[in-house]
Amino acid sequence: MADKYLLRVTAGPSYDPSSHHEVAVNSDNPTKIQSPLCDANISVRIQNYRGLPHGSPTTSSYFSHPPHTHDQYSISFSFVPHRAIAGKTLVFGNDFDHPIRDRIPPGFNAAFRIVKWAIDPGLDGDVYADKPYLYGNALSSINVLSVGPKVDEKDPVADLTSGPDHDEAITEGGFEGGQELRESQGIPGNAAARQKWFLGGHDRLEKWEWEAGRLYKADFFNPYLDFNEFALKLPGFSLKVLGYLGGEDYLRYVLKDKDTGEVLFVVVFTLLPKEQVEGEAAEAAEAADSHHPAAAKSGGQGFEPKADDLD
């Protein structure tokens, strides 16, 4: 069934799809986003990718790095907040605009317990709500976090690619003063230790602030979600969700301030029927041909001017 669908990845500064741009998956060129809350660069990598835009690379050199040889996908991003955001309020995760309770596959609750135990103990949410969500605090949910310097407020976008690893997989730590900032708050240098550290006490989240004008780099990845099969493959447990999706459907990731509801950015993975995509492409090609000069010229054959037309 999976070969009847194509994946499209888009990203934007809000939930409104009209503000989104198609992401070039596995590309070296990040998608640039500017929102009222931040400037960001986003890169999406998917192993064995088959989707849009047509001709996208099936993989990325990212997956050749030793920490990522078994990962299935990555959402990595650099961002500069425009205002300070409390550590306890910035969350990363999934949400929906409509209920999904009637399409939750059997075994989901067991899968969620495994995710909480093995992947993200801080994950919380309600998938049975009218607007379902699963959020984790960004400080403990993001796999890799690198803290950078304060940047030029006049042109923060120019600084999003700064740092030692902007062309490669992001590594845990800090640079240009960011490491010293981490150490001043006692944050462990190891990624897993940092995640556990922030899960260990509310006062640690209270102490942290995502500073306005400071550059942060982050990477979210795992080997469990297979976008080609739309299946969740957990240790000792596999859950295929493709058969429960009705028509066009999506999985949306969001970085947001949960207290104010303000969105920094969203990344949307949309599953489209291949026939629909091919049909839309054929219609677009036909429309383009109808506006081609040659078509216009041929359409004018047989025209005979009247006397009034020659005046």
Side-chain angles (χ1 to χ4, degrees):
M1 184 182 292
D3 60 357
K4 296 181 180 179
Y5 293 86
L6 290 173
L7 192 63
R8 172 180 286 149
V9 184
T10 58
S14 72
Y15 287 128
D16 182 0
S18 67
S19 70
H20 295 187
H21 299 282
E22 189 169 63
V23 174
V25 176
N26 293 332
S27 168
D28 292 332
N29 300 315
T31 298
K32 294 177 173 56
I33 291 178
Q34 291 181 284
S35 74
L37 211 53
C38 80
D39 291 304
N41 277 354
I42 299 173
S43 295
V44 175
R45 304 173 179 97
I46 300 176
Q47 185 67 290
N48 301 315
Y49 181 65
R50 57 170 185 265
L52 302 174
H54 291 297
S56 298
T58 58
T59 188
S60 164
S61 59
Y62 171 93
F63 296 110
S64 65
H65 289 266
H68 303 292
T69 53
H70 297 293
D71 288 325
Q72 292 292 323
Y73 74 105
S74 158
I75 303 172
S76 65
F77 50 94
S78 302
F79 71 104
V80 177
H82 294 324
R83 67 161 174 81
I85 305 172
K88 65 179 181 179
T89 68
L90 189 66
V91 295
F92 184 75
N94 310 109
D95 56 19
F96 296 83
D97 294 322
H98 58 267
I100 60 171
R101 62 178 75 93
D102 61 333
R103 285 183 284 162
I104 295 175
F108 174 83
N109 290 333
F112 186 58
R113 287 194 295 270
I114 295 174
V115 169
K116 291 264 292 183
W117 168 71
I119 303 174
D120 187 357
L123 196 63
D124 190 27
D126 183 357
V127 298
Y128 296 97
D130 289 338
K131 291 188 175 182
Y133 66 95
L134 288 173
Y135 299 144
N137 187 278
L139 290 164
S140 57
S141 286
I142 291 172
N143 300 86
V144 170
L145 175 64
S146 180
V147 181
K150 287 276 192 172
V151 300
D152 183 356
E153 294 185 6
K154 294 181 180 179
D155 190 14
V157 176
D159 292 292
L160 288 170
T161 57
S162 67
D165 49 20
H166 71 274
D167 289 328
E168 302 177 357
I170 297 169
T171 54
E172 184 78 15
F175 58 99
E176 296 181 31
Q179 183 62 34
E180 289 77 10
L181 176 63
R182 289 175 59 125
E183 291 173 355
S184 70
Q185 296 198 22
I187 300 173
N190 174 271
R194 182 256 309 159
Q195 291 175 294
K196 185 177 180 181
W197 191 81
F198 276 113
L199 285 169
H202 190 72
D203 59 321
R204 295 171 181 172
L205 295 175
E206 291 273 4
K207 188 177 178 181
W208 178 266
E209 178 182 84
W210 300 93
E211 297 179 58
R214 185 176 289 279
L215 173 62
Y216 301 94
K217 291 171 172 277
D219 194 3
F220 179 82
F221 52 84
N222 68 58
Y224 306 115
L225 184 55
D226 184 344
F227 278 106
N228 289 308
E229 300 292 335
F230 247 64
L232 187 62
K233 299 178 179 179
L234 299 167
F237 188 93
S238 182
L239 181 65
K240 291 193 174 183
V241 298
L242 188 57
Y244 297 90
L245 299 179
E248 179 178 318
D249 222 313
Y250 67 87
L251 179 65
R252 181 171 66 198
Y253 285 88
V254 59
L255 184 69
K256 67 185 294 184
D257 184 328
K258 69 180 179 68
D259 278 7
T260 66
E262 294 174 283
V263 169
L264 281 76
F265 63 77
V266 300
V267 181
V268 183
F269 297 78
T270 305
L271 201 61
L272 299 170
K274 187 179 291 186
E275 288 185 0
Q276 174 187 325
V277 174
E278 293 172 348
E280 291 174 352
E283 290 177 5
E286 185 177 342
D289 288 342
S290 68
H291 290 87
H292 194 277
K297 183 177 180 181
S298 64
Q301 289 181 354
F303 173 76
E304 295 182 5
K306 297 179 181 179
D308 289 343
D309 296 323
L310 301 177
D311 291 340

